C-alpha cells in the first residue's frame, strides 16, 4: 500500500531532514516510554527490564490508518509527503530497536543461558527472514498511550524544527504518527513468547496492556491523524 504512494523525488527532496526526524521521533518515543515504565515498574517492584519491551513496541507506527486517510481524503502537501516515507523508515528503526531489546530480555529471563553471540543472531535473523519472505486492569494502558503520544509528537516536532522543515510538518506531523496497532501486536506476540516460559506474569502485563492500548489508541489516533491533516490544510 505504501509503495503505491512513495515518490522518490519527494523522499529525496527531504534528505537528511527526513532521516533525522524519523530518528528523533522513533528513539524519542522509545526513551520516553522506557523511562516512564522503568519508574512505574521500579515503584511496583516489577523487573525494570520489562520497561524497555514497552519502549521497543511503542516506537513502531502502523502506516495503514494514516494511508487510508491520505487516500480517502486525497490529502496533499508537506505533511503527507513526509508521513509516507517516514512510516516505512520508522518501522525499520522499530525492527532494529525491538529485536535488540527482545534479544537482551531473552538472555535476562533465561538466566544468562543464551550465549552472547546469539544476541546479534536474534536481532538480525528475523530481519533476514523478513527480507526473504517479502492499575494493570487500566494504569499501564493509560501510561503507555500517554507516553507514546508524547514521544511521537514532540520527537517529530523537535526533529522537524531543527532541520527547518515546513511549519505544518513541525506542528502536525506528530499527530499523523500516532496509529500503530498492527505492528505493535506483532511485536507483543514475539516478546510474550520470550517471556511466557519463565515469566508468565510479565507476559500477561505486556499482552493485556498492549491489547487494550491497541483498541483505545486506534479510536483516538485515527481521529487525531485526520485532524492533523485538516490543521495542516492538506485535506482537499
Amino acid at each position: 500500500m505504501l509503495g503505491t504512494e512513495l515518490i522518490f523525488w519527494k523522499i529525496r527532496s527531504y534528505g537528511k531532514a527526513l532521516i533525522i526526524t524519523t530518528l528523533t521521533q522513533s528513539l524519542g518515543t522509545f526513551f520516553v516510554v522506557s523511562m516512564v515504565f522503568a519508574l512505574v515498574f521500579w515503584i511496583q517492584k516489577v523487573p525494570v527490564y520489562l520497561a524497555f519491551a514497552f519502549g521497543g513496541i511503542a516506537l513502531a507506527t502502523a502506516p495503514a490508518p494514516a494511508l487510508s486517510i491520505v487516500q480517502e481524503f486525497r490529502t496533499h502537501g508537506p505533511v503527507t509527503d513526509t508521513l509516507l516515507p517516514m512510516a516505512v523508515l520508522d518501522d525499520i528503526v522499530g525492527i532494529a530497536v525491538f529485536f535488540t531489546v527482545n534479544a537482551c530480555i531473552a538472555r535476562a529471563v533465561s538466566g544468562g543461558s543464551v550465549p552472547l553471540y546469539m544476541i546479534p543472531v536474534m536481532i538480525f535473523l528475523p530481519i533476514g527472514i523478513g527480507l526473504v519472505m517479502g492499575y494493570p486492569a487500566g494504569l499501564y494502558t493509560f501510561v503507555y498511550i500517554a507516553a507514546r503520544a508524547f514521544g511521537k509528537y514532540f520527537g517529530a516536532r523537535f526533529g522537524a524544527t531543527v532541520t527547518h522543515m515546513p511549519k505544518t510538518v513541525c506542528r502536525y506531523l506528530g499527530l499523523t504518527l500516532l496509529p500503530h496497532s498492527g505492528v505493535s501486536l506483532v511485536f507483543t506476540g514475539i516478546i510474550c513468547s520470550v517471556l511466557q516460559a519463565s515469566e508468565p506474569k510479565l507476559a500477561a502485563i505486556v499482552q493485556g496492556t498492549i491489547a487494550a492500548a491497541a483498541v483505545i489508541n486506534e479510536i483516538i489516533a485515527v481521529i487525531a491523524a485526520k485532524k492533523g491533516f485538516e490543521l495542516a490544510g492538506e485535506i482537499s
Side-chain angles (χ1 to χ4, degrees):
M1 291 171 68
L2 278 170
T4 64
E5 298 293 331
L6 296 180
I7 301 174
F8 180 73
W9 68 264
K10 289 184 178 181
I11 299 174
R12 187 178 180 184
S13 67
Y14 285 108
K16 292 181 181 178
L18 178 64
I19 295 173
I20 291 173
T21 305
T22 298
L23 291 174
T24 57
Q25 60 87 8
S26 291
L27 299 182
T29 301
F30 173 73
F31 177 79
V32 170
V33 175
S34 296
M35 292 303 102
V36 169
F37 271 96
L39 178 61
V40 171
F41 289 153
W42 180 74
I43 293 172
Q44 297 193 339
K45 302 187 185 305
V46 174
V48 173
Y49 64 73
L50 191 64
F52 296 95
F54 282 99
I57 294 169
L59 63 81
T61 297
L67 182 57
S68 67
I69 294 173
V70 169
Q71 293 178 334
E72 181 177 354
F73 295 98
R74 299 179 182 177
T75 66
H76 57 86
V79 173
T80 301
D81 294 342
T82 305
L83 170 66
L84 297 177
M86 185 172 290
V88 176
L89 295 175
D90 190 51
D91 285 342
I92 293 174
V93 175
I95 288 169
V97 173
F98 174 79
F99 281 109
T100 300
V101 171
N102 185 59
C104 293
I105 289 178
R107 179 173 171 80
V109 299
S110 66
S113 62
V114 176
L116 286 174
Y117 69 82
M118 284 299 295
I119 291 181
V121 173
M122 293 174 71
I123 295 169
F124 294 109
L125 182 60
I127 297 175
I129 293 173
L131 290 174
V132 173
M133 298 299 295
Y135 275 128
L139 173 63
Y140 294 162
T141 298
F142 172 78
V143 171
Y144 179 83
I145 292 173
R148 181 180 181 275
F150 183 93
K152 283 289 181 186
Y153 181 80
F154 288 102
R157 183 158 188 159
F158 175 76
T161 300
V162 298
T163 56
H164 308 291
M165 298 184 82
K167 288 185 178 180
T168 52
V169 175
C170 297
R171 293 173 182 170
Y172 308 123
L173 176 64
L175 295 176
T176 68
L177 291 168
L178 295 181
H180 95 130
S181 66
V183 181
S184 71
L185 293 176
V186 173
F187 285 175
T188 300
I190 294 171
I191 201 72
C192 286
S193 68
V194 171
L195 292 168
Q196 191 64 48
S198 55
E199 298 287 354
K201 291 183 179 179
L202 300 186
I205 290 175
V206 177
Q207 198 169 37
T209 300
I210 304 302
V215 175
I216 297 169
N217 189 68
E218 286 311 282
I219 297 172
I220 299 171
V222 172
I223 295 172
K226 180 175 180 290
K227 192 65 177 178
F229 285 116
E230 287 179 353
L231 293 172
E234 297 190 11
I235 291 184
S236 301

